[in-house]
Amino acid sequence: SFGADKMDRLALGTVTFRYRFKQTKPKEIETIKNELQLPDVPAYYRDKFRIRNLEFWSNHFESLEQSYLLQLKDKIKKAKARLINVQVDAAYDLASTNEEERQRSLKLVKQWIDATATLGSTCVRINPGRTNGSVEKSIESMKEINTYAKSKKLVLLTENHFGIEMNPAIHLRINKEAGPDIYTLPDFGNYPVETMFESLAKIMPHAYLMSAKAVSFNSNIEHTSYDFDKCVKMAEQAGFKGIYSVEQWSPGYQDIDQEKVALWMIDHVKQNI
C-alpha cells in the first residue's frame, strides 16, 4: 500500500540514461560525460530525483557474477531504495519452433531470473517471443518460466515489446494460458500511434506495473510523440493502483538533457495520479 507521497508510485528506469552507460552509448557520443554504472544508480536517483523505486535494463549489467550482484544489492540497500523490475532483453526467443533455440533461450532467461532474484527485485519482465514465432511454443515456454519465477518469489511481467505479443489479443492469451498470475507491463510508447489508445485499453486492466514511456522531445523539453498525460489518465481510469516506471526511448539519437526529460516525466505522472 502507498502513502500520501506520490513519489511512492514512481520508478525510474536506467533506459532513460542509456547514453551515459558504455554498453548502450550511441555512436554520436564519443566521450561519455558523467558515465554511469548500475552500482551508482540507487544513490544518484535518490539524490537527483527523490526516486527510490528502481528499474534496471539487462543491457546495463556489467556481469551476472554473484560478487557483482551482491555489490549492487548492497548499493540498493544503502540508498534505502528497492528494485521493482529488471527488463530482460538479451538474445533469446521463447516462441522459437527450433527446439534447440527454445531450450537455449529458456536456460538464458532462467539465468537472468536467478540474478533478478538475488537482487531482491519484485518483478522480472520477459519477452514472450519474436514476431514470427509460435504462440503455442511461447505459451509452453512462458508456463515453464512462470513456474520458475514463482519459485524465486518473482512476479512475471510481459510488455508490448515488439514481439509476438504486439497483438493485444495474443498478448492476453499468452498470459492467461501460461498463468496463473502473469501480468502485463503496458508500455505507453510501443504501439503504433494510430492504434495505441485502443490497444493500451485492452492490456491496462491486467497490469502490475506501467512503463510510462515518452519518446521524442523538442529542444524546449516538450513531448511531441503522443499525449503522455492521456496515457496516465487511462491507466488511472482502468483502476491501476501500482507503480509507474518512467522511461524515455527513441530509435534515433536525441541531443537533449536526460535529467530534464526524467523530471518532465516524473512531474507529468504526478499531475495525473
Side-chain angles (χ1 to χ4, degrees), residues 226-239:
Y226 44 84
D227 189 340
F228 181 93
D229 295 57
K230 180 177 176 178
C231 295
V232 181
K233 286 177 180 143
M234 278 178 65
E236 291 293 297
Q237 281 157 5

Side-chain angles (χ1 to χ4, degrees), residues 109-134:
V109 167
K110 285 176 184 176
Q111 287 171 339
W112 275 102
I113 287 174
D114 289 343
T116 304
T118 296
L119 292 174
S121 180
T122 311
C123 303
V124 63
R125 188 270 278 150
I126 302 297
N127 301 318
R130 297 192 182 142
T131 38
N132 58 353
S134 151

Side-chain angles (χ1 to χ4, degrees), residues 74-168:
D74 188 54
K75 294 283 189 182
I76 295 168
K77 189 181 171 188
K78 283 197 168 121
K80 294 189 168 60
R82 63 175 184 152
L83 183 62
I84 57 154
N85 189 39
V86 174
Q87 303 161 304
V88 180
D89 282 332
Y92 63 93
D93 182 8
L94 294 176
S96 179
T97 51
N98 175 326
E99 190 56 19
E100 198 179 334
E101 168 60 14
R102 196 177 74 87
Q103 289 300 331
R104 185 198 66 79
S105 298
L106 284 164
K107 189 178 170 192
L108 180 70
V109 167
K110 285 176 184 176
Q111 287 171 339
W112 275 102
I113 287 174
D114 289 343
T116 304
T118 296
L119 292 174
S121 180
T122 311
C123 303
V124 63
R125 188 270 278 150
I126 302 297
N127 301 318
R130 297 192 182 142
T131 38
N132 58 353
S134 151
V135 177
E136 288 71 27
K137 288 293 176 189
S138 174
I139 290 165
E140 192 183 332
S141 300
M142 292 298 281
K143 265 187 184 157
E144 188 173 329
I145 291 302
N146 189 36
T147 301
Y148 193 75
K150 277 189 160 50
S151 77
K152 301 283 178 177
K153 306 205 166 27
L154 285 166
V155 176
L156 180 58
L157 308 181
T158 53
E159 179 182 350
N160 46 317
H161 198 252
F162 311 113
I164 196 170
E165 75 299 325
M166 285 300 281
N167 174 330

Side-chain angles (χ1 to χ4, degrees), residues 154-268:
L154 285 166
V155 176
L156 180 58
L157 308 181
T158 53
E159 179 182 350
N160 46 317
H161 198 252
F162 311 113
I164 196 170
E165 75 299 325
M166 285 300 281
N167 174 330
I170 290 174
H171 190 171
L172 294 175
R173 184 188 157 198
I174 290 169
N175 281 20
K176 185 166 189 255
E177 293 186 28
D181 302 326
I182 300 176
Y183 294 87
T184 60
L185 171 54
D187 187 306
F188 294 176
N190 286 2
Y191 289 123
V193 173
E194 311 79 62
T195 57
M196 68 178 291
F197 294 122
E198 61 181 286
S199 295
L200 284 170
K202 289 173 183 165
I203 67 168
M204 275 177 170
H206 307 276
Y208 190 94
L209 188 66
M210 288 286 165
S211 188
K213 179 188 281 171
V215 180
S216 295
F217 284 82
N218 63 21
S219 55
N220 297 325
I221 313 294
E222 292 162 334
H223 188 240
T224 57
S225 299
Y226 44 84
D227 189 340
F228 181 93
D229 295 57
K230 180 177 176 178
C231 295
V232 181
K233 286 177 180 143
M234 278 178 65
E236 291 293 297
Q237 281 157 5
F240 181 67
K241 302 273 194 292
I243 291 174
Y244 292 86
S245 184
V246 300
E247 72 169 25
Q248 183 276 332
W249 171 268
S250 54
Y253 173 68
Q254 287 185 76
D255 187 12
I256 47 175
D257 183 332
Q258 285 107 348
E259 288 187 345
K260 285 183 178 164
V261 164
L263 290 165
W264 183 97
M265 294 187 294
I266 290 165
D267 191 47
H268 279 255

